[in-house]
Amino acid sequence: KQWYQRRVAITAGEFNFSKMSHRKFRAPRHGSLGFLPRKRCARHRGKVKTFPKDDKTKPCHLTAFMGHKAGMTHILREVDRVGSRSHKKEVVEAVTIIETPPMIAVGVVGYMETPRGLRSFKTVFAQHISDECKRRFYKNWYRCKKKAHTRTGQKWADEDGKKSIDADFDKMTKYCVAIRVLCHTQPKLFKLQEKKANIMEIQINGGEMADKVAFARSLLEKPISVKDLFAQNELIDVIGVTRGHGYNGVTFRWGTKKLPRKTHKGLRKVACIGAWHPSRVCFSVPRAGQYGYHHRTEVNKKVYRVGVKGDPNSASTAFDLTDKPITPMGGFSHYGQINEDFLMIKGNVVGPRKRLLTLRKSLLVHTKRVALEKINLKYIDTASKWGHGRFQTDAEKKAFQGLLKKDREAME
């Protein structure tokens, strides 16, 4: 018996029956499953799916805005963060410029609570609605009769109509739990090849319901400026649609590892897309398909500056007294000049230039030192973005290179 046990042990050691080969490493999966399905977004405009929580103790205010991405530049600032290695040191950071002309309020929508969530209860439109806004209600503007909202505008003209409008506002005050304002952009101010205005509902937070209704009514047909919503050093959320890349394979779309060089029928593939059973491809297996043009929300973007229309020194600082606007020399590439209000945001934002972005107040109450840091800009770069820009202003370029022939002729 002992001889038999010894012989079995020797045989097991020789042939190593107890172990099987396996991968010599473990790795996390490629790509996040939190963003499925990766398909083209149904709407070009970023949609606010959650507004900030209402606080009745604060005064009435709007919670979102819209603008177009113009381009990027960089700034120099001094870090004010006690305890950090960068404290009192200068850092260079990339910033994004978003042009935000005033929006126009054209309606008020009241929402009431139901067992299945919010439901629109009453909608009141303004007396005058611009053609830019009306274009959004039609598929083909030049062939339509352009009759949209003519009757709603007539309500404001006669006494019976005014009484019905007042009754609607009173019902909103009595039954509604949320008040939102219908606002649209002004394409004529963007200088883009766009004629239809973009419309969105913006929720009003703060105050009692009667205060919200009165605040919304006071905004009708009036321009709403971005400086009324956001301020410097504030953290905001940016909602938009990313840059589209079309149909791509798994290596580009998911970042999977390339197969060895001698692989049959290509190497930018997934080698095994699943076991024999279950006899179908699991949803979590990387596959080729649409990449980009996805709806995304980026949170906690710091506002470095709120620019005002017509300010010739919008890019000047206390340390750089040069009189220069925010538009770089030669304009922002593939965008042009900044002629309206703008926001300067830290870092990058989704989408290519000219992309419409929705800016929302933050959903969180920020208490960290990084979030509460005061921004002290020392320098904003306005050199040309078309090449290796050397000069900050046109006057600086002429002082160094001399006048051009056309400049001399103009002087004569």
Side-chain angles (χ1 to χ4, degrees), residues 293-314:
Y293 204 73
H294 306 311
H295 188 275
R296 294 289 180 263
T297 301
E298 287 191 310
V299 299
N300 301 344
K301 295 287 188 180
K302 190 112 176 175
V303 178
Y304 275 10
R305 176 164 287 192
V306 180
V308 182
K309 175 186 177 180
D311 184 8
N313 303 323
S314 55

Side-chain angles (χ1 to χ4, degrees), residues 45-46 65-69 96 98 238-241 349-351 355-359:
R45 173 181 62 84
F65 206 80
M66 281 195 288
H68 283 267
K69 178 177 177 178
T96 302
I98 302 173
V238 179
I239 307 167
V241 179
V349 297
V350 297
R355 177 59 52 86
L356 181 69
L357 300 172
T358 303
L359 313 172

Side-chain angles (χ1 to χ4, degrees), residues 264-285:
H264 183 51
K265 289 189 176 179
L267 48 81
R268 296 173 65 89
K269 297 174 178 292
V270 173
C272 177
I273 60 172
W276 192 314
H277 289 290
S279 54
R280 54 191 170 271
V281 180
C282 184
F283 78 96
S284 59
V285 176

Side-chain angles (χ1 to χ4, degrees), residues 10 32-33 46 59 70 84 117 127 139 141 171 221 261 263 271 319 350 359 378:
I10 292 171
S32 171
L33 298 179
S84 170
Q127 183 176 6
K139 185 83 172 178
W141 176 251
K171 287 179 181 178
E221 299 184 25
R261 180 186 61 82
T263 307
F319 296 87
V350 297
L359 313 172
K378 284 192 169 183

Side-chain angles (χ1 to χ4, degrees), residues 105-110 121-127 129 149 152 155-156 161-162 164-170 172 180-182 213 216-217 220:
V106 292
V108 182
V109 185
F121 175 64
K122 288 286 182 183
T123 303
V124 178
F125 280 91
Q127 183 176 6
I129 299 178
H149 291 286
T152 55
K155 273 189 175 183
W156 293 85
K162 287 181 180 179
S164 67
I165 290 171
D166 292 335
D168 288 344
F169 279 124
D170 292 338
M172 284 187 198
R180 295 177 185 174
V181 182
L182 275 167
V213 172
R217 192 167 183 175
L220 289 178

Side-chain angles (χ1 to χ4, degrees), residues 159-388:
E159 293 300 323
D160 292 337
K162 287 181 180 179
K163 287 181 181 178
S164 67
I165 290 171
D166 292 335
D168 288 344
F169 279 124
D170 292 338
K171 287 179 181 178
M172 284 187 198
T173 305
K174 187 175 181 180
Y175 298 111
C176 291
V177 296
I179 300 294
R180 295 177 185 174
V181 182
L182 275 167
C183 300
H184 71 82
T185 58
Q186 300 184 74
K188 62 185 178 183
L189 301 179
F190 278 113
K191 304 300 182 186
L192 302 178
Q193 291 183 348
E194 187 179 37
K195 295 181 180 179
K196 281 186 182 181
N198 290 284
I199 307 174
M200 72 173 293
E201 289 184 2
I202 302 176
Q203 185 163 302
I204 296 176
N205 282 358
E208 297 294 334
M209 195 53 56
D211 302 330
K212 288 183 172 68
V213 172
F215 180 71
R217 192 167 183 175
S218 67
L219 293 176
L220 289 178
E221 299 184 25
K222 293 181 181 176
I224 301 167
S225 178
V226 69
K227 65 177 182 292
D228 300 332
L229 276 78
F230 304 121
Q232 188 174 340
N233 305 319
E234 187 176 349
L235 288 174
I236 66 173
D237 302 338
V238 179
I239 307 167
V241 179
T242 61
R243 181 195 297 264
H245 295 276
Y247 192 98
N248 280 107
V250 288
T251 303
F252 186 84
R253 193 179 187 218
W254 294 95
T256 55
K257 195 173 182 63
K258 287 166 64 177
L259 301 179
R261 180 186 61 82
K262 296 179 70 173
T263 307
H264 183 51
K265 289 189 176 179
L267 48 81
R268 296 173 65 89
K269 297 174 178 292
V270 173
C272 177
I273 60 172
W276 192 314
H277 289 290
S279 54
R280 54 191 170 271
V281 180
C282 184
F283 78 96
S284 59
V285 176
R287 306 291 273 165
Q290 172 68 27
Y291 182 73
Y293 204 73
H294 306 311
H295 188 275
R296 294 289 180 263
T297 301
E298 287 191 310
V299 299
N300 301 344
K301 295 287 188 180
K302 190 112 176 175
V303 178
Y304 275 10
R305 176 164 287 192
V306 180
V308 182
K309 175 186 177 180
D311 184 8
N313 303 323
S314 55
S316 301
T317 65
F319 296 87
D320 180 19
L321 299 177
T322 309
D323 295 336
K324 55 182 183 179
I326 192 65
T327 305
M329 292 189 64
F332 281 105
S333 57
H334 304 288
Y335 187 87
Q337 306 284 328
I338 299 287
N339 298 316
E340 299 292 329
D341 301 343
F342 68 88
L343 283 184
M344 182 188 289
I345 307 290
K346 179 186 176 182
N348 63 333
V349 297
V350 297
R353 60 190 75 78
K354 300 182 183 177
R355 177 59 52 86
L356 181 69
L357 300 172
T358 303
L359 313 172
R360 179 187 66 187
K361 282 188 172 290
S362 180
L363 302 180
L364 310 173
V365 178
H366 297 281
T367 55
K368 292 186 176 180
R369 285 191 302 169
V370 177
L372 301 177
E373 181 184 357
K374 302 295 182 184
I375 301 302
N376 182 21
L377 298 180
K378 284 192 169 183
Y379 165 78
I380 300 171
D381 181 63
T382 56
S384 175
K385 306 302 175 190
W386 289 98
H388 301 283

